[in-house]
Amino acid sequence: MNAPVGSIAQRDSLTPRESDVLRLLARGCTYEQAADRLGVSPHTVQSHIKNAYRKLGLRCAAAAVMRAIELRLFGEI
């Protein structure tokens, strides 16, 4: 069963790296820029985003960033 939208369980279900990737997207980074900053490949960033979308029940970057803000996954953007 999925956690309710905006729940702490949703926030806690994301890995630290998934949260890092969402944070970088929220700051306007592309997948390539996020990959460079994290020292991973763009494919790895894409995998983290795909997993975060699935966990948060979303389908696009804008919605994922908004949900991350709602869940207070990171402080000031």
Side-chain angles (χ1 to χ4, degrees):
M1 185 191 251
N2 289 339
V5 171
S7 73
I8 291 174
Q10 269 189 327
R11 178 180 64 208
D12 292 344
S13 72
L14 294 178
T15 67
R17 189 58 97 180
E18 290 163 353
S19 295
D20 291 342
V21 171
L22 283 176
R23 185 177 302 110
L24 290 170
L25 291 180
R27 290 183 176 150
C29 291
T30 65
Y31 284 14
E32 292 78 15
Q33 291 168 331
D36 186 53
R37 290 183 186 190
L38 296 172
V40 299
S41 74
H43 177 75
T44 300
V45 168
Q46 185 177 13
S47 293
H48 289 308
I49 288 297
K50 179 181 171 184
N51 291 335
Y53 286 1
R54 180 182 46 78
K55 290 176 181 181
L56 296 173
L58 305 170
R59 296 181 187 254
C60 71
V65 168
M66 289 304 298
R67 181 67 50 78
I69 291 168
E70 290 169 3
L71 293 173
R72 298 182 181 156
L73 291 179
F74 35 85
E76 198 74 24
I77 296 176

Short mmCIF file of all heavy atoms in Angstrom, two decimals:
data_model
loop_
_atom_site.label_atom_id
_atom_site.label_comp_id
_atom_site.label_asym_id
_atom_site.label_seq_id
_atom_site.Cartn_x
_atom_site.Cartn_y
_atom_site.Cartn_z
N MET A 1 0.84 -1.18 0.00
CA MET A 1 0.00 0.00 0.00
C MET A 1 0.89 1.25 0.00
O MET A 1 1.85 1.33 0.74
CB MET A 1 -0.88 -0.03 1.23
CG MET A 1 -1.87 1.10 1.26
SD MET A 1 -2.66 1.21 2.85
CE MET A 1 -4.27 0.68 2.49
N ASN A 2 0.56 2.23 -0.78
CA ASN A 2 1.34 3.46 -0.87
C ASN A 2 1.04 4.37 0.30
O ASN A 2 -0.07 4.39 0.82
CB ASN A 2 1.04 4.21 -2.17
CG ASN A 2 1.60 3.52 -3.37
OD1 ASN A 2 2.52 2.72 -3.25
ND2 ASN A 2 1.05 3.80 -4.53
N ALA A 3 2.02 5.11 0.72
CA ALA A 3 1.85 6.08 1.79
C ALA A 3 1.01 7.24 1.28
O ALA A 3 1.02 7.56 0.10
CB ALA A 3 3.21 6.59 2.25
N PRO A 4 0.25 7.88 2.16
CA PRO A 4 -0.54 9.04 1.74
C PRO A 4 0.35 10.14 1.18
O PRO A 4 1.48 10.30 1.60
CB PRO A 4 -1.21 9.51 3.04
CG PRO A 4 -1.11 8.37 3.98
CD PRO A 4 0.08 7.57 3.56
N VAL A 5 -0.21 10.89 0.25
CA VAL A 5 0.53 11.98 -0.38
C VAL A 5 0.98 12.96 0.69
O VAL A 5 0.21 13.35 1.56
CB VAL A 5 -0.36 12.70 -1.42
CG1 VAL A 5 0.31 13.97 -1.91
CG2 VAL A 5 -0.67 11.77 -2.57
N GLY A 6 2.25 13.33 0.63
CA GLY A 6 2.79 14.31 1.55
C GLY A 6 3.13 13.76 2.92
O GLY A 6 3.41 14.51 3.83
N SER A 7 3.11 12.45 3.06
CA SER A 7 3.37 11.87 4.38
C SER A 7 4.86 11.79 4.69
O SER A 7 5.70 11.80 3.80
CB SER A 7 2.76 10.47 4.47
OG SER A 7 3.52 9.57 3.71
N ILE A 8 5.17 11.65 5.96
CA ILE A 8 6.55 11.46 6.38
C ILE A 8 7.08 10.16 5.82
O ILE A 8 8.24 10.07 5.45
CB ILE A 8 6.65 11.52 7.92
CG1 ILE A 8 6.37 12.93 8.40
CG2 ILE A 8 8.01 11.04 8.40
CD1 ILE A 8 6.29 13.10 9.88
N ALA A 9 6.22 9.15 5.71
CA ALA A 9 6.65 7.86 5.16
C ALA A 9 7.17 8.04 3.74
O ALA A 9 8.15 7.41 3.35
CB ALA A 9 5.51 6.86 5.20
N GLN A 10 6.54 8.89 2.95
CA GLN A 10 7.03 9.15 1.59
C GLN A 10 8.40 9.78 1.65
O GLN A 10 9.30 9.37 0.94
CB GLN A 10 6.09 10.11 0.85
CG GLN A 10 5.02 9.44 0.07
CD GLN A 10 4.29 10.45 -0.79
OE1 GLN A 10 4.13 11.60 -0.42
NE2 GLN A 10 3.86 10.01 -1.93
N ARG A 11 8.57 10.75 2.49
CA ARG A 11 9.86 11.43 2.60
C ARG A 11 10.94 10.44 3.03
O ARG A 11 12.03 10.42 2.48
CB ARG A 11 9.77 12.58 3.61
CG ARG A 11 11.09 13.29 3.82
CD ARG A 11 10.99 14.41 4.80
NE ARG A 11 10.66 13.89 6.11
CZ ARG A 11 10.00 14.57 7.04
NH1 ARG A 11 9.61 15.79 6.81
NH2 ARG A 11 9.74 14.03 8.21
N ASP A 12 10.62 9.62 3.99
CA ASP A 12 11.59 8.67 4.51
C ASP A 12 11.89 7.54 3.53
O ASP A 12 12.90 6.87 3.67
CB ASP A 12 11.12 8.10 5.84
CG ASP A 12 11.10 9.14 6.95
OD1 ASP A 12 11.75 10.20 6.77
OD2 ASP A 12 10.45 8.90 7.97
N SER A 13 11.02 7.34 2.55
CA SER A 13 11.24 6.25 1.59
C SER A 13 12.29 6.61 0.55
O SER A 13 12.83 5.72 -0.11
CB SER A 13 9.93 5.87 0.90
OG SER A 13 9.53 6.86 -0.02
N LEU A 14 12.60 7.89 0.39
CA LEU A 14 13.62 8.30 -0.57
C LEU A 14 15.00 8.08 0.02
O LEU A 14 15.24 8.34 1.19
CB LEU A 14 13.47 9.78 -0.93
CG LEU A 14 12.22 10.17 -1.70
CD1 LEU A 14 12.21 11.67 -1.94
CD2 LEU A 14 12.09 9.42 -2.99
N THR A 15 15.91 7.62 -0.83
CA THR A 15 17.30 7.48 -0.39
C THR A 15 17.94 8.86 -0.32
O THR A 15 17.45 9.81 -0.95
CB THR A 15 18.10 6.60 -1.36
OG1 THR A 15 18.22 7.28 -2.62
CG2 THR A 15 17.46 5.23 -1.56
N PRO A 16 19.03 8.98 0.41
CA PRO A 16 19.73 10.27 0.44
C PRO A 16 20.13 10.73 -0.97
O PRO A 16 20.04 11.92 -1.29
CB PRO A 16 20.96 10.00 1.31
CG PRO A 16 20.53 8.90 2.22
CD PRO A 16 19.63 8.03 1.36
N ARG A 17 20.54 9.81 -1.84
CA ARG A 17 20.96 10.19 -3.19
C ARG A 17 19.76 10.66 -4.01
O ARG A 17 19.88 11.62 -4.78
CB ARG A 17 21.66 9.02 -3.87
CG ARG A 17 22.30 9.41 -5.17
CD ARG A 17 23.31 10.54 -4.98
NE ARG A 17 24.63 10.00 -4.87
CZ ARG A 17 25.71 10.72 -4.69
NH1 ARG A 17 25.64 12.02 -4.59
NH2 ARG A 17 26.88 10.15 -4.59
N GLU A 18 18.60 10.02 -3.86
CA GLU A 18 17.41 10.48 -4.56
C GLU A 18 17.05 11.89 -4.12
O GLU A 18 16.70 12.74 -4.94
CB GLU A 18 16.24 9.51 -4.31
CG GLU A 18 16.42 8.18 -4.98
CD GLU A 18 15.53 7.09 -4.45
OE1 GLU A 18 14.82 7.29 -3.44
OE2 GLU A 18 15.56 5.98 -5.04
N SER A 19 17.18 12.15 -2.83
CA SER A 19 16.93 13.50 -2.32
C SER A 19 17.94 14.49 -2.87
O SER A 19 17.58 15.62 -3.24
CB SER A 19 16.97 13.52 -0.79
OG SER A 19 15.93 12.75 -0.26
N ASP A 20 19.21 14.09 -2.96
CA ASP A 20 20.25 14.95 -3.53
C ASP A 20 19.91 15.33 -4.96
O ASP A 20 20.03 16.49 -5.36
CB ASP A 20 21.61 14.25 -3.54
CG ASP A 20 22.20 14.06 -2.15
OD1 ASP A 20 21.75 14.75 -1.20
OD2 ASP A 20 23.12 13.23 -2.04
N VAL A 21 19.49 14.34 -5.74
CA VAL A 21 19.17 14.59 -7.16
C VAL A 21 17.97 15.53 -7.26
O VAL A 21 18.00 16.50 -8.04
CB VAL A 21 18.92 13.27 -7.91
CG1 VAL A 21 18.38 13.53 -9.30
CG2 VAL A 21 20.21 12.46 -8.00
N LEU A 22 16.94 15.31 -6.47
CA LEU A 22 15.78 16.21 -6.48
C LEU A 22 16.19 17.63 -6.09
O LEU A 22 15.72 18.60 -6.68
CB LEU A 22 14.70 15.71 -5.54
CG LEU A 22 13.86 14.54 -6.02
CD1 LEU A 22 12.90 14.11 -4.93
CD2 LEU A 22 13.10 14.91 -7.28
N ARG A 23 17.07 17.75 -5.11
CA ARG A 23 17.54 19.06 -4.68
C ARG A 23 18.23 19.79 -5.83
O ARG A 23 17.99 20.98 -6.06
CB ARG A 23 18.50 18.89 -3.49
CG ARG A 23 18.96 20.19 -2.88
CD ARG A 23 19.86 19.96 -1.66
NE ARG A 23 19.19 19.17 -0.63
CZ ARG A 23 19.50 17.91 -0.30
NH1 ARG A 23 20.48 17.28 -0.90
NH2 ARG A 23 18.85 17.29 0.65
N LEU A 24 19.07 19.08 -6.55
CA LEU A 24 19.78 19.70 -7.68
C LEU A 24 18.83 20.09 -8.80
O LEU A 24 18.98 21.15 -9.41
CB LEU A 24 20.88 18.77 -8.19
CG LEU A 24 22.07 18.62 -7.23
CD1 LEU A 24 23.00 17.51 -7.70
CD2 LEU A 24 22.82 19.93 -7.08
N LEU A 25 17.84 19.25 -9.07
CA LEU A 25 16.84 19.61 -10.09
C LEU A 25 16.05 20.84 -9.66
O LEU A 25 15.76 21.71 -10.48
CB LEU A 25 15.89 18.44 -10.35
CG LEU A 25 16.48 17.23 -11.04
CD1 LEU A 25 15.41 16.16 -11.24
CD2 LEU A 25 17.10 17.60 -12.38
N ALA A 26 15.73 20.91 -8.37
CA ALA A 26 15.00 22.08 -7.86
C ALA A 26 15.81 23.35 -8.02
O ALA A 26 15.25 24.44 -8.18
CB ALA A 26 14.64 21.87 -6.40
N ARG A 27 17.12 23.22 -7.99
CA ARG A 27 18.00 24.39 -8.17
C ARG A 27 18.26 24.69 -9.65
O ARG A 27 19.04 25.57 -9.96
CB ARG A 27 19.32 24.13 -7.45
CG ARG A 27 19.15 24.16 -5.96
CD ARG A 27 20.45 23.99 -5.25
NE ARG A 27 20.23 24.11 -3.81
CZ ARG A 27 20.94 23.51 -2.90
NH1 ARG A 27 21.95 22.73 -3.24
NH2 ARG A 27 20.67 23.67 -1.63
N GLY A 28 17.63 23.92 -10.53
CA GLY A 28 17.72 24.22 -11.95
C GLY A 28 18.76 23.43 -12.72
O GLY A 28 18.99 23.71 -13.90
N CYS A 29 19.38 22.45 -12.09
CA CYS A 29 20.39 21.64 -12.80
C CYS A 29 19.74 20.69 -13.79
O CYS A 29 18.65 20.17 -13.54
CB CYS A 29 21.19 20.81 -11.80
SG CYS A 29 22.28 21.76 -10.75
N THR A 30 20.43 20.45 -14.88
CA THR A 30 20.03 19.40 -15.81
C THR A 30 20.51 18.07 -15.26
O THR A 30 21.30 18.03 -14.31
CB THR A 30 20.66 19.62 -17.20
OG1 THR A 30 22.09 19.48 -17.07
CG2 THR A 30 20.30 20.98 -17.78
N TYR A 31 20.09 16.97 -15.87
CA TYR A 31 20.58 15.66 -15.45
C TYR A 31 22.10 15.61 -15.58
O TYR A 31 22.79 15.07 -14.72
CB TYR A 31 19.98 14.55 -16.30
CG TYR A 31 18.54 14.19 -15.98
CD1 TYR A 31 17.72 15.00 -15.20
CD2 TYR A 31 17.99 13.02 -16.47
CE1 TYR A 31 16.41 14.65 -14.93
CE2 TYR A 31 16.68 12.66 -16.20
CZ TYR A 31 15.89 13.48 -15.43
OH TYR A 31 14.60 13.13 -15.15
N GLU A 32 22.62 16.18 -16.64
CA GLU A 32 24.07 16.16 -16.87
C GLU A 32 24.81 16.96 -15.79
O GLU A 32 25.85 16.55 -15.29
CB GLU A 32 24.42 16.69 -18.26
CG GLU A 32 23.98 15.78 -19.40
CD GLU A 32 22.49 15.87 -19.72
OE1 GLU A 32 21.79 16.83 -19.28
OE2 GLU A 32 21.99 14.95 -20.40
N GLN A 33 24.27 18.13 -15.45
CA GLN A 33 24.89 18.95 -14.42
C GLN A 33 24.82 18.27 -13.06
O GLN A 33 25.79 18.29 -12.30
CB GLN A 33 24.21 20.32 -14.36
CG GLN A 33 24.48 21.18 -15.57
CD GLN A 33 23.57 22.39 -15.63
OE1 GLN A 33 22.44 22.37 -15.14
NE2 GLN A 33 24.07 23.46 -16.25
N ALA A 34 23.68 17.66 -12.76
CA ALA A 34 23.53 16.94 -11.50
C ALA A 34 24.53 15.78 -11.45
O ALA A 34 25.17 15.55 -10.42
CB ALA A 34 22.10 16.42 -11.33
N ALA A 35 24.67 15.06 -12.55
CA ALA A 35 25.60 13.94 -12.62
C ALA A 35 27.03 14.42 -12.35
O ALA A 35 27.77 13.80 -11.58
CB ALA A 35 25.51 13.25 -13.97
N ASP A 36 27.40 15.53 -12.96
CA ASP A 36 28.74 16.08 -12.77
C ASP A 36 28.98 16.46 -11.32
O ASP A 36 30.03 16.16 -10.75
CB ASP A 36 28.93 17.29 -13.70
CG ASP A 36 30.34 17.82 -13.66
OD1 ASP A 36 31.28 17.03 -13.87
OD2 ASP A 36 30.51 19.04 -13.43
N ARG A 37 28.02 17.11 -10.71
CA ARG A 37 28.17 17.55 -9.31
C ARG A 37 28.22 16.37 -8.34
O ARG A 37 28.87 16.47 -7.30
CB ARG A 37 27.04 18.49 -8.93
CG ARG A 37 27.15 19.82 -9.62
CD ARG A 37 26.08 20.77 -9.19
NE ARG A 37 26.17 21.98 -9.99
CZ ARG A 37 25.49 23.06 -9.73
NH1 ARG A 37 24.68 23.12 -8.69
NH2 ARG A 37 25.61 24.12 -10.51
N LEU A 38 27.52 15.29 -8.69
CA LEU A 38 27.48 14.13 -7.80
C LEU A 38 28.55 13.09 -8.13
O LEU A 38 28.71 12.11 -7.41
CB LEU A 38 26.09 13.48 -7.85
CG LEU A 38 24.94 14.35 -7.34
CD1 LEU A 38 23.61 13.67 -7.62
CD2 LEU A 38 25.11 14.64 -5.86
N GLY A 39 29.24 13.28 -9.25
CA GLY A 39 30.28 12.35 -9.64
C GLY A 39 29.75 11.01 -10.13
O GLY A 39 30.38 9.98 -9.90
N VAL A 40 28.59 11.06 -10.78
CA VAL A 40 27.99 9.85 -11.34
C VAL A 40 27.63 10.12 -12.80
O VAL A 40 27.77 11.23 -13.30
CB VAL A 40 26.73 9.42 -10.55
CG1 VAL A 40 27.08 9.10 -9.10
CG2 VAL A 40 25.65 10.50 -10.59
N SER A 41 27.13 9.11 -13.48
CA SER A 41 26.73 9.28 -14.88
C SER A 41 25.32 9.85 -14.97
O SER A 41 24.52 9.70 -14.03
CB SER A 41 26.77 7.93 -15.61
OG SER A 41 25.69 7.13 -15.21
N PRO A 42 24.99 10.49 -16.10
CA PRO A 42 23.62 10.96 -16.30
C PRO A 42 22.61 9.81 -16.21
O PRO A 42 21.49 10.00 -15.74
CB PRO A 42 23.64 11.58 -17.69
CG PRO A 42 25.05 12.02 -17.86
CD PRO A 42 25.87 10.96 -17.17
N HIS A 43 23.01 8.62 -16.64
CA HIS A 43 22.13 7.45 -16.55
C HIS A 43 21.80 7.14 -15.09
O HIS A 43 20.65 6.81 -14.76
CB HIS A 43 22.77 6.24 -17.23
CG HIS A 43 21.95 5.00 -17.10
ND1 HIS A 43 20.81 4.80 -17.84
CD2 HIS A 43 22.09 3.92 -16.30
CE1 HIS A 43 20.28 3.63 -17.50
NE2 HIS A 43 21.05 3.07 -16.57
N THR A 44 22.79 7.28 -14.21
CA THR A 44 22.56 7.04 -12.78
C THR A 44 21.60 8.08 -12.21
O THR A 44 20.70 7.74 -11.44
CB THR A 44 23.89 7.04 -12.01
OG1 THR A 44 24.72 6.01 -12.54
CG2 THR A 44 23.69 6.84 -10.52
N VAL A 45 21.77 9.32 -12.61
CA VAL A 45 20.84 10.38 -12.18
C VAL A 45 19.43 10.04 -12.64
O VAL A 45 18.47 10.13 -11.87
CB VAL A 45 21.28 11.76 -12.72
CG1 VAL A 45 20.18 12.80 -12.52
CG2 VAL A 45 22.56 12.21 -12.02
N GLN A 46 19.31 9.62 -13.89
CA GLN A 46 18.00 9.25 -14.43
C GLN A 46 17.38 8.10 -13.62
O GLN A 46 16.18 8.12 -13.33
CB GLN A 46 18.14 8.84 -15.89
CG GLN A 46 16.82 8.56 -16.56
CD GLN A 46 16.99 8.22 -18.04
OE1 GLN A 46 18.10 7.97 -18.50
NE2 GLN A 46 15.90 8.22 -18.77
N SER A 47 18.19 7.14 -13.21
CA SER A 47 17.69 6.03 -12.39
C SER A 47 17.19 6.51 -11.04
O SER A 47 16.14 6.08 -10.56
CB SER A 47 18.78 4.98 -12.19
OG SER A 47 19.10 4.36 -13.41
N HIS A 48 17.94 7.42 -10.43
CA HIS A 48 17.52 7.97 -9.13
C HIS A 48 16.20 8.73 -9.27
O HIS A 48 15.31 8.60 -8.42
CB HIS A 48 18.58 8.89 -8.54
CG HIS A 48 19.80 8.18 -8.06
ND1 HIS A 48 19.77 7.12 -7.19
CD2 HIS A 48 21.11 8.39 -8.31
CE1 HIS A 48 20.98 6.71 -6.93
NE2 HIS A 48 21.83 7.46 -7.61
N ILE A 49 16.08 9.51 -10.33
CA ILE A 49 14.84 10.26 -10.56
C ILE A 49 13.67 9.31 -10.79
O ILE A 49 12.59 9.50 -10.24
CB ILE A 49 15.02 11.24 -11.75
CG1 ILE A 49 15.93 12.38 -11.33
CG2 ILE A 49 13.68 11.77 -12.26
CD1 ILE A 49 15.38 13.24 -10.21
N LYS A 50 13.89 8.30 -11.61
CA LYS A 50 12.83 7.33 -11.89
C LYS A 50 12.34 6.68 -10.59
O LYS A 50 11.14 6.55 -10.37
CB LYS A 50 13.37 6.26 -12.84
CG LYS A 50 12.39 5.18 -13.18
CD LYS A 50 13.04 4.17 -14.12
CE LYS A 50 12.16 2.96 -14.29
NZ LYS A 50 12.80 1.92 -15.10
N ASN A 51 13.28 6.31 -9.73
CA ASN A 51 12.91 5.71 -8.45
C ASN A 51 12.17 6.70 -7.56
O ASN A 51 11.20 6.34 -6.89
CB ASN A 51 14.14 5.16 -7.73
CG ASN A 51 14.73 3.97 -8.44
OD1 ASN A 51 14.05 3.25 -9.16
ND2 ASN A 51 16.02 3.75 -8.25
N ALA A 52 12.63 7.94 -7.52
CA ALA A 52 11.96 8.97 -6.72
C ALA A 52 10.54 9.21 -7.22
O ALA A 52 9.60 9.32 -6.43
CB ALA A 52 12.76 10.27 -6.72
N TYR A 53 10.37 9.29 -8.53
CA TYR A 53 9.03 9.47 -9.11
C TYR A 53 8.11 8.35 -8.67
O TYR A 53 6.97 8.57 -8.27
CB TYR A 53 9.08 9.47 -10.63
CG TYR A 53 9.64 10.69 -11.31
CD1 TYR A 53 10.13 11.77 -10.60
CD2 TYR A 53 9.69 10.75 -12.69
CE1 TYR A 53 10.65 12.88 -11.26
CE2 TYR A 53 10.21 11.84 -13.35
CZ TYR A 53 10.67 12.90 -12.63
OH TYR A 53 11.18 13.98 -13.28
N ARG A 54 8.61 7.11 -8.76
CA ARG A 54 7.80 5.95 -8.40
C ARG A 54 7.41 6.03 -6.93
O ARG A 54 6.24 5.86 -6.58
CB ARG A 54 8.57 4.67 -8.69
CG ARG A 54 7.82 3.39 -8.34
CD ARG A 54 8.64 2.14 -8.60
NE ARG A 54 10.01 2.21 -8.12
CZ ARG A 54 10.39 2.05 -6.85
NH1 ARG A 54 9.50 1.82 -5.92
NH2 ARG A 54 11.67 2.13 -6.51
N LYS A 55 8.35 6.32 -6.07
CA LYS A 55 8.09 6.39 -4.64
C LYS A 55 7.12 7.51 -4.27
O LYS A 55 6.31 7.37 -3.35
CB LYS A 55 9.39 6.56 -3.86
CG LYS A 55 10.27 5.32 -3.89
CD LYS A 55 11.59 5.59 -3.20
CE LYS A 55 12.50 4.38 -3.25
NZ LYS A 55 13.78 4.66 -2.55
N LEU A 56 7.21 8.61 -4.98
CA LEU A 56 6.35 9.77 -4.70
C LEU A 56 5.05 9.73 -5.49
O LEU A 56 4.19 10.59 -5.31
CB LEU A 56 7.11 11.06 -4.99
CG LEU A 56 8.33 11.33 -4.12
CD1 LEU A 56 9.09 12.55 -4.61
CD2 LEU A 56 7.94 11.48 -2.66
N GLY A 57 4.91 8.75 -6.39
CA GLY A 57 3.69 8.62 -7.19
C GLY A 57 3.54 9.73 -8.22
O GLY A 57 2.43 10.20 -8.46
N LEU A 58 4.64 10.13 -8.83
CA LEU A 58 4.65 11.25 -9.78
C LEU A 58 5.16 10.82 -11.14
O LEU A 58 5.70 9.74 -11.30
CB LEU A 58 5.51 12.38 -9.22
CG LEU A 58 5.12 12.86 -7.83
CD1 LEU A 58 6.16 13.78 -7.27
CD2 LEU A 58 3.76 13.52 -7.85
N ARG A 59 5.04 11.74 -12.12
CA ARG A 59 5.46 11.42 -13.47
C ARG A 59 6.32 12.49 -14.15
O ARG A 59 6.73 12.32 -15.28
CB ARG A 59 4.24 11.17 -14.36
CG ARG A 59 3.45 9.97 -13.93
CD ARG A 59 2.28 9.76 -14.85
NE ARG A 59 1.44 8.71 -14.34
CZ ARG A 59 1.38 7.50 -14.86
NH1 ARG A 59 2.09 7.21 -15.92
NH2 ARG A 59 0.58 6.59 -14.35
N CYS A 60 6.58 13.62 -13.48
CA CYS A 60 7.38 14.65 -14.13
C CYS A 60 8.24 15.38 -13.10
O CYS A 60 7.95 15.38 -11.91
CB CYS A 60 6.51 15.63 -14.90
SG CYS A 60 5.53 16.72 -13.87
N ALA A 61 9.27 16.04 -13.60
CA ALA A 61 10.23 16.72 -12.73
C ALA A 61 9.58 17.84 -11.93
O ALA A 61 9.86 17.98 -10.73
CB ALA A 61 11.39 17.27 -13.57
N ALA A 62 8.74 18.62 -12.56
CA ALA A 62 8.12 19.75 -11.85
C ALA A 62 7.30 19.26 -10.66
O ALA A 62 7.39 19.81 -9.56
CB ALA A 62 7.25 20.56 -12.80
N ALA A 63 6.53 18.21 -10.86
CA ALA A 63 5.72 17.66 -9.77
C ALA A 63 6.61 17.07 -8.69
O ALA A 63 6.31 17.20 -7.49
CB ALA A 63 4.76 16.61 -10.31
N ALA A 64 7.70 16.43 -9.08
CA ALA A 64 8.62 15.84 -8.10
C ALA A 64 9.27 16.92 -7.25
O ALA A 64 9.40 16.76 -6.03
CB ALA A 64 9.67 15.00 -8.82
N VAL A 65 9.68 18.00 -7.87
CA VAL A 65 10.30 19.09 -7.13
C VAL A 65 9.28 19.72 -6.18
O VAL A 65 9.59 19.98 -5.00
CB VAL A 65 10.90 20.14 -8.09
CG1 VAL A 65 11.30 21.41 -7.34
CG2 VAL A 65 12.10 19.54 -8.82
N MET A 66 8.07 19.93 -6.65
CA MET A 66 7.04 20.51 -5.79
C MET A 66 6.75 19.59 -4.60
O MET A 66 6.63 20.05 -3.46
CB MET A 66 5.76 20.79 -6.57
CG MET A 66 5.89 21.96 -7.53
SD MET A 66 6.41 23.50 -6.72
CE MET A 66 5.07 23.76 -5.58
N ARG A 67 6.67 18.29 -4.85
CA ARG A 67 6.41 17.36 -3.76
C ARG A 67 7.58 17.36 -2.78
O ARG A 67 7.39 17.30 -1.58
CB ARG A 67 6.19 15.96 -4.32
CG ARG A 67 5.89 14.88 -3.28
CD ARG A 67 4.54 15.05 -2.57
NE ARG A 67 3.44 15.23 -3.47
CZ ARG A 67 2.84 14.27 -4.16
NH1 ARG A 67 3.23 13.03 -4.07
NH2 ARG A 67 1.83 14.55 -4.97
N ALA A 68 8.79 17.42 -3.28
CA ALA A 68 9.96 17.46 -2.41
C ALA A 68 9.93 18.69 -1.52
O ALA A 68 10.27 18.62 -0.33
CB ALA A 68 11.24 17.42 -3.25
N ILE A 69 9.50 19.81 -2.06
CA ILE A 69 9.37 21.04 -1.27
C ILE A 69 8.30 20.86 -0.21
O ILE A 69 8.49 21.20 0.96
CB ILE A 69 9.08 22.25 -2.18
CG1 ILE A 69 10.32 22.57 -3.03
CG2 ILE A 69 8.65 23.46 -1.35
CD1 ILE A 69 10.07 23.54 -4.15
N GLU A 70 7.16 20.29 -0.60
CA GLU A 70 6.08 20.04 0.35
C GLU A 70 6.52 19.14 1.48
O GLU A 70 6.11 19.32 2.63
CB GLU A 70 4.88 19.40 -0.36
CG GLU A 70 4.16 20.32 -1.32
CD GLU A 70 3.16 19.58 -2.19
OE1 GLU A 70 2.98 18.35 -2.02
OE2 GLU A 70 2.55 20.22 -3.05
N LEU A 71 7.34 18.15 1.17
CA LEU A 71 7.82 17.19 2.16
C LEU A 71 9.01 17.72 2.95
O LEU A 71 9.51 17.03 3.83
CB LEU A 71 8.21 15.87 1.47
CG LEU A 71 7.06 15.08 0.85
CD1 LEU A 71 7.60 13.92 0.07
CD2 LEU A 71 6.08 14.61 1.92
N ARG A 72 9.44 18.93 2.60
CA ARG A 72 10.58 19.56 3.28
C ARG A 72 11.82 18.69 3.23
O ARG A 72 12.52 18.50 4.21
CB ARG A 72 10.21 19.93 4.71
CG ARG A 72 9.08 20.93 4.73
CD ARG A 72 8.73 21.33 6.10
NE ARG A 72 7.61 22.28 5.97
CZ ARG A 72 6.74 22.52 6.91
NH1 ARG A 72 6.85 21.93 8.06
NH2 ARG A 72 5.77 23.36 6.72
N LEU A 73 12.07 18.17 2.01
CA LEU A 73 13.25 17.32 1.81
C LEU A 73 14.53 18.13 1.86
O LEU A 73 15.60 17.56 2.05
CB LEU A 73 13.16 16.59 0.47
CG LEU A 73 12.07 15.51 0.39
CD1 LEU A 73 12.09 14.88 -0.99
CD2 LEU A 73 12.30 14.46 1.45
N PHE A 74 14.43 19.40 1.63
CA PHE A 74 15.61 20.25 1.69
C PHE A 74 15.17 21.62 2.13
O PHE A 74 14.03 21.99 1.99
CB PHE A 74 16.34 20.30 0.36
CG PHE A 74 15.46 20.25 -0.86
CD1 PHE A 74 14.90 21.40 -1.37
CD2 PHE A 74 15.21 19.06 -1.51
CE1 PHE A 74 14.11 21.37 -2.50
CE2 PHE A 74 14.41 19.02 -2.64
CZ PHE A 74 13.86 20.17 -3.14
N GLY A 75 16.10 22.35 2.65
CA GLY A 75 15.81 23.69 3.15
C GLY A 75 15.63 24.69 2.04
O GLY A 75 15.02 24.41 1.01
N GLU A 76 16.19 25.82 2.22
CA GLU A 76 16.12 26.92 1.26
C GLU A 76 16.66 26.51 -0.10
O GLU A 76 17.71 25.93 -0.18
CB GLU A 76 16.92 28.10 1.80
CG GLU A 76 16.61 29.42 1.17
CD GLU A 76 15.27 29.98 1.64
OE1 GLU A 76 14.82 29.63 2.71
OE2 GLU A 76 14.70 30.77 0.88
N ILE A 77 15.91 26.82 -1.13
CA ILE A 77 16.34 26.50 -2.50
C ILE A 77 16.95 27.73 -3.12
O ILE A 77 16.49 28.81 -2.99
CB ILE A 77 15.17 26.00 -3.35
CG1 ILE A 77 14.67 24.70 -2.77
CG2 ILE A 77 15.58 25.80 -4.79
CD1 ILE A 77 13.46 24.14 -3.44
#
